[in-house]
């Protein structure tokens, strides 16, 4: 017992050492998404990002064209799916809706005050808007935290039978790799926020500071989804789901993929698709703005994109 208490104290000390001491971050408004000058471009020009807005009256061909609702992860923005849009524009006949999670892409304060249910809301808004306009081939591609958000929608029945043809989960987070996050409920009020090591370009598209309130929301979300998976449930009829998971991931523990594979089944009870990727990156589908990207990373990204487009073309 004494050794466990010692380890816990060391973890707490390490956590406090690696995080901020002030509850209010020093935000550079001109260079960080956290400020009040840089916002996600989808807020200015939604027609460039949302199919439901860009095509006012879809014709029959458009209604039957695959539409992918592409959703980013916690603290990120629509930028996370730019590369998939560019690749699909050049290699396939599909439509892509890049959805900005609620509370994201705006100021630090708006992010701090948002809940995971706020994050989830725009997914359903775009899904419902596409359904109302008559689109028949709706699909979903989510990275990291977008994955538990859509898994929760499936469990609740908000996405029903034949509601989505394909669902692609990229590095879903159900178990975080950073086990220190389990202490955020205890230490969060003391530390206020965690500072990241984003590159200068990433600071434009990702929050540099992560408020403890949002980290608590993240933990609440994945805890709920984990319990749902432990109880088990099935996909809607007519829906195919595939998980792509890096074998080494600093954000989402690979066990996350195992929990999804064991807890979520196809409607007929058969196993869902799962592919473990020989990658050390979290969300290999986004390479831009990263440092030290290798040719292997690019090959893996291309493989995942090609695989997704293959399923979308069926």
């Amino acid at each position: 017992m004494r050794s466990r208490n010692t380890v816990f104290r060391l973890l707490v000390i390490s956590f406090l050492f690696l995080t901020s001491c002030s509850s209010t971050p020093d935000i550079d408004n001109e260079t960080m998404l956290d400020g009040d000058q840089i916002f996600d471009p989808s807020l200015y020009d939604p027609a460039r990002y949302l199919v439901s807005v860009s095509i006012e009256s879809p014709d029959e061909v458009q209604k039957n064209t695959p539409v992918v609702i592409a959703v980013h992860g916690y603290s990120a923005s629509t930028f996370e799916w730019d590369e998939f849009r560019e690749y699909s524009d050049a290699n396939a006949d599909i439509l892509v809706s890049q959805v900005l999670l609620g509370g994201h892409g705006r100021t630090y304060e708006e992010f701090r005050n948002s809940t995971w249910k706020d994050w989830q809301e725009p997914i359903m808004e775009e899904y419902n808007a596409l359904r109302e306009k008559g689109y028949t081939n709706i699909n979903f591609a989510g990275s990291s935290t977008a994955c538990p958000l859509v898994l929760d929608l499936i469990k609740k029945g908000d996405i029903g039978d034949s509601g989505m043809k394909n669902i692609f989960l990229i590095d879903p987070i159900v178990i975080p790799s950073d086990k220190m996050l389990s202490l955020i409920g205890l230490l969060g009020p003391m530390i206020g926020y965690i500072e990241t090591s984003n590159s200068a370009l990433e600071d434009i598209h990702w929050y540099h500071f992560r408020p403890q309130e949002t980290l608590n929301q993240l933990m609440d979300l994945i805890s709920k989804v984990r319990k749902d998976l432990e109880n088990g449930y099935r996909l809607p009829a007519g829906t195919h789901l595939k998980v792509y998971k890096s074998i080494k991931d600093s954000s989402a523990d690979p066990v996350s993929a195992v929990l999804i594979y064991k807890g979520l089944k196809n409607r007929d009870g058969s196993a869902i698709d799962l592919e473990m990727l020989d990658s050390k990156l979290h969300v290999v589908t986004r390479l831009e703005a990263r440092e030290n990207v290798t040719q292997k990373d690019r090959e893996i990204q291309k493989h995942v994109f090609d695989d997704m487009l293959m399923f979308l073309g069926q």
Side-chain angles (χ1 to χ4, degrees), residues 179-196:
K179 307 311 176 188
M180 303 296 290
L181 282 178
S182 64
L183 301 176
I184 196 66
L186 173 66
L187 301 176
M190 291 185 285
I191 62 172
Y193 62 90
I194 292 177
E195 185 172 358
T196 67

Side-chain angles (χ1 to χ4, degrees), residues 29-42:
N29 285 304
E30 295 183 358
T31 63
M32 293 180 182
L33 178 63
D34 313 59
D36 58 8
Q37 296 183 33
I38 299 174
F39 298 93
D40 189 85
S42 68

Side-chain angles (χ1 to χ4, degrees), residues 84-243:
F84 175 70
R85 176 189 284 274
E86 293 169 3
Y87 191 85
S88 61
D89 283 349
N91 295 280
D93 183 17
I94 68 171
L95 301 169
V96 179
S97 278
Q98 288 172 263
V99 170
L100 179 68
L101 293 180
H104 286 65
R106 303 162 174 86
T107 64
Y108 174 86
E109 284 301 314
E110 289 176 277
F111 182 41
R112 184 175 70 84
N113 292 323
S114 64
T115 68
W116 71 260
K117 292 184 178 179
D118 294 329
W119 307 346
Q120 189 182 62
E121 188 174 342
I123 300 173
M124 283 306 300
E125 288 179 351
E126 180 64 4
Y127 170 77
N128 288 331
L130 292 169
R131 297 271 290 192
E132 289 172 7
K133 289 199 170 188
Y135 287 94
T136 63
N137 192 339
I138 302 175
N139 306 267
F140 178 88
S143 50
S144 194
T145 300
C147 303
L149 289 173
V150 80
L151 289 173
D152 177 68
L153 292 174
I154 294 169
K155 178 63 172 64
K156 292 188 298 187
D158 291 350
I159 298 171
D161 289 352
S162 302
M164 285 186 177
K165 187 173 181 181
N166 292 284
I167 295 176
F168 306 107
L169 305 184
I170 312 297
D171 286 331
I173 181 170
V174 179
I175 302 292
S177 294
D178 185 357
K179 307 311 176 188
M180 303 296 290
L181 282 178
S182 64
L183 301 176
I184 196 66
L186 173 66
L187 301 176
M190 291 185 285
I191 62 172
Y193 62 90
I194 292 177
E195 185 172 358
T196 67
S197 57
N198 294 343
S199 68
L201 182 54
E202 285 176 323
D203 269 348
I204 299 174
H205 303 288
W206 279 262
Y207 289 101
H208 186 89
F209 301 103
R210 298 181 176 181
Q212 62 92 8
E213 293 89 347
T214 62
L215 291 167
N216 272 311
Q217 289 295 316
L218 174 62
M219 294 303 293
D220 287 347
L221 168 64
I222 62 177
S223 177
K224 179 183 185 301
V225 170
R226 183 172 65 253
K227 291 176 182 177
D228 289 339
L229 290 168
E230 288 171 354
N231 292 328
Y233 58 103
R234 297 189 180 188
L235 287 168
T239 297
H240 161 264
L241 182 145
K242 182 166 183 178
V243 176

Side-chain angles (χ1 to χ4, degrees), residues 256-306:
S256 298
V258 177
L259 291 177
I260 296 171
Y261 184 79
K262 289 184 175 180
L264 181 61
K265 303 296 181 183
N266 292 315
R267 174 53 65 90
D268 63 5
S270 61
I272 61 169
D273 282 348
L274 168 62
E275 181 175 354
M276 301 303 293
L277 304 173
D278 186 17
S279 171
K280 298 179 181 179
L281 297 181
H282 180 58
V283 186
V284 71
T285 44
R286 191 276 296 185
L287 299 179
E288 292 302 315
R290 292 187 191 271
E291 298 176 349
N292 303 316
V293 172
T294 67
Q295 181 58 33
K296 181 180 179 181
D297 296 329
R298 299 194 183 281
E299 291 170 357
I300 293 173
Q301 182 195 63
K302 182 179 185 303
H303 162 72
V304 174
F305 286 169
D306 285 339

